[in-house]
């Protein structure tokens, strides 16, 4: 099995043009932008990437664009989110991801007909993972969206030894007891990638080494400074940086939710268009107010790296 992942893995937005069609031409510049900010990978077509709002053909096209521009960069791992409601489609996407040589695939709990327990969820994972035995396979735990609220510790117990290429879990939930139990399962056998940007400091305290998040798209330097402060035992600074990330994240709630991330990207010089229905997008009037709030938080200072990552105040 591959080594455990480390660093910040972005959950990229899927770029759309002004007609609402996928804008593949932006992806090479997107990749370069993330690389310039020290991001170590991309978790494509997930929640932030509107994977559930893309057709199968669109998801394949997005995957091909990321594979082509990253040129299978050993220091930048591209992971494909497969979905979860249709196992056959997930298998199709997984095989495609393997064909174009992406790093890994990820699957979430079926969220219409839901698995009854951890054993059924494990069987669902196995049905997909065994089709791409040479690729790392990750489970994506995000019960706030899927409603599949099965303890991941129970899933690991059901999966262990049954799925050779099972690599770990993208954990987007607030159950720190469950997360710590998963971290310690079989002496840390599996990757436990943290998925709540606003709680990263707490996850670092439990030993996580890799995180997947949407705000890494546009304020990654804050988190690398946070990690550095934590690693040097400057917990006061680490707490201040976590609060700064929370201040940016609070604006998502103020202005409408997940779609606000694309407004941040526009201010960072990467116009990814709008979200597809049924997600509500920000009005032009709100965007002007949003810009003022963002400016007050010093966004220009945090949106890109320089040589002094840890000097942010």
């Amino acid at each position: 099995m591959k080594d455990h992942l480390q660093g910040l893995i972005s959950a990229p937005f899927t770029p759309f043009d002004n007609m609402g069609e996928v804008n593949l031409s932006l992806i090479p510049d997107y990749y370069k932008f993330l690389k310039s900010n020290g991001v170590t990978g991309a978790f494509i077509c997930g929640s932030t990437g509107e994977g559930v709002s893309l057709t199968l053909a669109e998801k394949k096209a997005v995957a091909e664009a990321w594979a082509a521009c990253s040129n299978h960069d050993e220091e930048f791992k591209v992971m494909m989110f497969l979905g979860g409601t249709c196992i056959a489609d997930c298998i199709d996407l997984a095989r495609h991801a393997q064909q174009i040589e992406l790093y890994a695939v990820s699957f979430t709990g079926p969220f219409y007909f839901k698995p009854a327990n951890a054993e059924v969820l494990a069987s669902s994972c196995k049905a997909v993972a065994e089709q791409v035995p040479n690729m790392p396979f990750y489970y994506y735990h995000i019960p706030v969206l899927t409603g599949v609220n099965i303890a991941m510790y129970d899933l690991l117990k059901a999966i262990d030894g049954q799925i050779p290429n099972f690599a770990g879990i993208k954990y987007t939930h607030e159950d720190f007891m469950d997360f710590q139990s998963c971290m310690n399962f079989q002496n840390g056998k599996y990757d436990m990638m943290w998925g709540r940007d606003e709680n990263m400091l707490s996850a670092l305290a439990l030993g996580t080494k890799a995180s997947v998040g949407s705000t890494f798209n546009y304020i990654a330097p804050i988190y690398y400074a946070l990690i550095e402060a934590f690693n040097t035992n400057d917990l006061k600074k680490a707490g201040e940086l976590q609060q700064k990330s929370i201040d940016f994240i609070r604006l998502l709630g103020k202005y409408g939710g997940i779609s606000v991330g694309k407004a941040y990207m526009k201010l960072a010089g990467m116009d990814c268009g709008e979200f597809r229905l049924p997600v509500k997008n920000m009005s032009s009037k709100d965007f002007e107010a949003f810009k003022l709030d963002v400016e007050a938080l010093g966004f220009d200072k945090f949106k890109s790296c320089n040589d002094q990552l840890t000097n942010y105040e």
Side-chain angles (χ1 to χ4, degrees):
M1 185 48 63
K2 305 279 187 179
D3 292 336
H4 284 356
L5 297 175
Q6 295 192 28
L8 304 182
I9 298 167
S10 170
F13 301 92
T14 296
F16 295 124
D17 62 23
N18 56 12
M19 299 298 292
E21 299 298 323
V22 174
N23 180 12
L24 300 177
S25 66
L26 189 64
I27 290 176
D29 285 339
Y30 203 154
Y31 160 70
K32 292 174 186 175
F33 177 74
L34 294 177
K35 283 281 288 185
S36 72
N37 275 341
V39 173
T40 61
F43 186 91
I44 62 173
C45 297
S47 305
T48 303
E50 298 177 80
V52 294
S53 299
L54 301 176
T55 67
L56 199 60
E58 286 173 331
K59 284 188 268 196
K60 289 181 178 181
V62 169
E64 289 167 6
W66 279 99
C69 70
S70 65
N71 196 29
H72 313 301
D73 183 345
E74 287 295 323
E75 297 180 353
F76 190 89
K77 306 293 195 295
V78 180
M79 311 168 69
M80 177 74 184
F81 175 61
L82 307 172
T85 53
C86 177
I87 302 294
D89 279 350
C90 291
I91 290 171
D92 187 6
L93 276 175
R95 288 173 174 164
H96 178 259
Q98 178 176 256
Q99 180 182 7
I100 63 176
E101 299 182 335
L102 295 187
Y103 174 76
V105 293
S106 181
F107 171 83
T108 199
F111 44 86
Y112 189 85
F113 295 125
K114 296 180 178 64
N117 52 42
E119 288 71 28
V120 176
L121 181 55
S123 295
S124 301
C125 290
K126 184 177 181 180
V128 180
E130 66 184 5
Q131 299 298 316
V132 286
N134 297 319
M135 291 188 82
F137 177 94
Y138 288 85
Y139 181 72
Y140 178 14
H141 184 48
I142 184 164
V144 69
L145 290 181
T146 63
V148 180
N149 203 0
I150 292 169
M152 290 296 95
Y153 181 69
D154 292 339
L155 179 64
L156 290 183
K157 288 193 295 182
I159 277 177
D160 193 47
Q162 304 301 312
I163 306 177
N165 58 325
F166 186 85
I169 298 171
K170 177 184 182 293
Y171 198 100
T172 308
H173 191 36
E174 296 78 24
D175 189 340
F176 285 100
M177 183 180 79
D178 184 43
F179 183 73
Q180 181 168 356
S181 297
C182 293
M183 287 285 299
N184 293 324
F185 184 83
Q186 297 283 42
N187 296 313
K189 179 178 180 180
Y190 295 107
D191 260 340
M192 292 300 301
M193 301 186 297
W194 186 248
R196 284 284 188 223
D197 306 2
E198 63 272 27
N199 300 135
M200 177 186 282
L201 182 55
S202 301
L204 289 172
L206 295 180
T208 192
K209 300 300 181 186
S211 297
V212 182
S214 63
T215 63
F216 305 160
N217 284 294
Y218 46 86
I219 51 171
I222 287 180
Y223 297 99
Y224 276 123
L226 189 164
I227 292 167
E228 176 66 18
F230 176 80
N231 288 341
T232 56
N233 206 32
D234 190 346
L235 298 184
K236 181 176 184 294
K237 183 175 182 181
E240 290 170 351
L241 288 161
Q242 182 70 88
Q243 184 59 57
K244 177 60 72 171
S245 91
I246 289 170
D247 293 341
F248 281 107
I249 290 167
R250 285 190 187 280
L251 294 186
L252 273 68
K254 180 176 180 179
Y255 287 99
I258 193 170
S259 65
V260 179
K262 282 191 172 181
Y264 271 119
M265 290 301 288
K266 188 174 182 179
L267 294 181
M270 192 72 55
D271 190 346
C272 296
E274 295 190 335
F275 267 67
R276 285 181 171 173
L277 288 171
V279 175
K280 180 181 181 296
N281 289 285
M282 190 185 300
S283 68
S284 56
K285 180 180 178 181
D286 281 346
F287 183 67
E288 294 305 313
F290 169 75
K291 285 197 294 185
L292 295 176
D293 281 347
V294 170
E295 183 180 354
L297 291 177
F299 180 62
D300 284 345
K301 187 168 68 170
F302 297 108
K303 69 185 180 183
S304 63
C305 285
N306 59 28
D307 294 332
Q308 302 294 325
L309 253 183
T310 58
N311 285 345
Y312 292 119
E313 301 295 339

